[in-house]
């Protein structure tokens, strides 16, 4: 479901976490489709961070010529890497709400990051970007990758 910004930053953060988790599940489905065709399966791949799972999928697809059906799939995976990087900055950071109508602040969890303003609209937009990738990922996992591998 595509979300509309309600101005509630906590609710938007929850949707971001939920939609990103749905995408992680779809990435795992892609891996489940690819693994039976990999004679060199990495040990404990399902425990890898999502970024490494995406890299695994990218590596498996780089071995052969892609079908027309999958020609844009590597771009989707690149896009997902960017989305997860942004999600990680937010989820592992700390959001401080304003008390006097000033902007809400995101303080990074990484020592190299900078404090910045954040809005519920930004979180809602990011959640929607994750949601918009689900159909393509699930289609790839259950149809396109299976046809590609057979």
């Amino acid at each position: 479901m595509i979300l509309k910004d309600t101005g509630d930053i906590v609710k938007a953060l929850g949707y971001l976490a939920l939609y990103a988790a749905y995408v992680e599940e779809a990435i795992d489905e892609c891996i489940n489709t690819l693994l039976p065709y990999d004679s060199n399966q990495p040990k404990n791949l399902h425990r890898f961070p999502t970024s490494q799972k995406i890299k695994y999928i990218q590596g498996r697809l780089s071995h052969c010529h892609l079908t027309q059906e999958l020609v844009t799939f590597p771009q989707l995976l690149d896009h997902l890497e960017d989305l997860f990087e942004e999600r990680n900055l937010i989820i592992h950071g700390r959001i401080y709400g304003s008390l006097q109508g000033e902007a809400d602040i995101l303080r990074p969890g990484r020592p190299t990051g900078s404090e910045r303003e954040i809005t519920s609209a930004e979180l809602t937009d990011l959640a929607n970007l994750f949601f918009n990738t689900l159909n393509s990922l699930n289609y790839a996992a259950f149809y396109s990758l299976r046809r590609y591998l057979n």
Side-chain angles (χ1 to χ4, degrees):
M1 172 172 84
I2 299 297
L3 304 170
K4 293 185 181 186
D5 179 35
T6 63
D8 184 337
I9 201 161
V10 174
K11 188 175 189 178
L13 183 63
Y15 275 113
L16 171 58
L18 183 65
Y19 285 4
Y22 292 157
V23 170
E24 287 176 317
E25 179 180 44
I27 289 168
D28 285 341
E29 287 298 333
C30 289
I31 287 172
N32 288 338
T33 301
L34 293 169
L35 277 178
Y37 299 89
D38 186 355
S39 60
N40 243 352
Q41 296 178 9
K43 188 174 179 164
N44 297 319
L45 179 60
H46 288 290
R47 292 184 179 184
F48 285 18
T50 302
S51 61
Q52 289 182 339
K53 290 177 181 180
I54 291 171
K55 293 224 182 293
Y56 172 79
I57 296 168
Q58 290 168 325
R60 295 300 302 154
L61 295 179
S62 69
H63 291 99
C64 299
H65 181 71
L66 293 178
T67 62
Q68 185 64 32
E69 197 173 25
L70 286 170
V71 75
T72 61
F73 194 62
Q75 294 166 335
L76 175 63
L77 295 173
D78 290 341
H79 178 60
L80 286 171
E81 284 182 308
D82 295 339
L83 293 181
F84 276 107
E85 177 62 23
E86 185 62 28
R87 188 243 13 203
N88 288 345
L89 292 173
I90 293 166
I91 295 293
H92 297 295
R94 295 163 309 281
I95 296 174
Y96 292 95
S98 66
L99 299 176
Q100 300 295 326
E102 297 174 12
D104 294 325
I105 300 295
L106 173 66
R107 290 195 182 140
R110 298 176 182 164
T112 57
S114 301
E115 184 177 287
R116 66 175 181 88
E117 292 183 8
I118 193 163
T119 65
S120 61
E122 178 183 345
L123 300 178
T124 300
D125 289 346
L126 186 56
N128 284 329
L129 288 172
F130 272 106
F131 186 82
N132 289 337
T133 68
L134 279 172
N135 282 340
S136 296
L137 279 170
N138 284 324
Y139 191 84
F142 295 108
Y143 302 105
S144 303
L145 288 171
R146 292 179 197 281
R147 285 192 281 266
Y148 169 71
L149 295 165
N150 289 319

